[in-house]
């Protein structure tokens, strides 16, 4: 990960059929993915949360995750969508 990005900021979250514990775990995976992809030229990335080493312990296996980069006011923002069946989490974040 790029040491330039030390802190992930979650700007907005919308959840459907997700409890607080699961939401917290999914947000941590989103932050990790955002920090990992940010130093690259990638504008969009897809993951399966099962590929993350800690997803089973956190109870968040099997979510499809899409993250995409958007630029506004010379800053990068990241949009994330995580879905498993009728469970969905939409996230907006940025890195400082």
């Amino acid at each position: 990960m790029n040491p330039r990005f030390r802190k992930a900021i979650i700007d907005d979250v919308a959840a459907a059929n997700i409890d607080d514990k699961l939401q917290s775990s999914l947000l941590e995976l989103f932050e990790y993915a955002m920090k990992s992809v940010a130093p690259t030229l990638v504008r969009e990335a897809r993951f399966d949360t099962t590929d993350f080493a800690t997803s089973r312990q956190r109870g968040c296996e099997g979510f499809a995750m899409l993250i995409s980069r958007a630029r506004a006011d010379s800053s990068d923002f990241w949009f994330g969508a995580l879905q498993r069946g009728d469970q969905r989490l939409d996230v907006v974040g940025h890195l400082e």
Side-chain angles (χ1 to χ4, degrees):
M1 275 183 270
N2 190 336
R4 182 178 83 137
F5 299 119
R6 294 188 191 116
K7 188 173 182 182
I9 306 296
I10 301 298
D11 298 301
D12 194 21
V13 175
N17 300 316
I18 292 180
D19 64 34
D20 290 341
K21 183 179 178 188
L22 180 57
Q23 178 174 314
S24 178
S25 294
L26 290 172
L27 287 174
E28 288 178 16
L29 291 179
F30 170 75
E31 289 174 8
Y32 178 80
M34 183 172 52
K35 287 178 182 178
S36 297
V37 174
T40 71
L41 296 175
V42 171
R43 293 182 187 215
E44 185 173 280
R46 294 179 188 272
F47 300 94
D48 185 309
T49 58
T50 304
D51 295 333
F52 291 85
T54 60
S55 66
R56 173 174 255 170
Q57 300 148 306
R58 296 174 183 208
C60 52
E61 286 184 299
F63 276 84
M65 180 192 315
L66 171 67
I67 64 172
S68 58
R69 182 189 320 235
R71 191 137 182 94
D73 298 327
S74 71
S75 297
D76 284 341
F77 286 87
W78 293 89
F79 299 94
L82 296 98
Q83 186 163 0
R84 176 176 70 185
D86 67 346
Q87 296 176 302
R88 184 172 174 98
L89 183 70
D90 294 316
V91 186
V92 178
H94 70 277
L95 297 169
E96 291 185 343

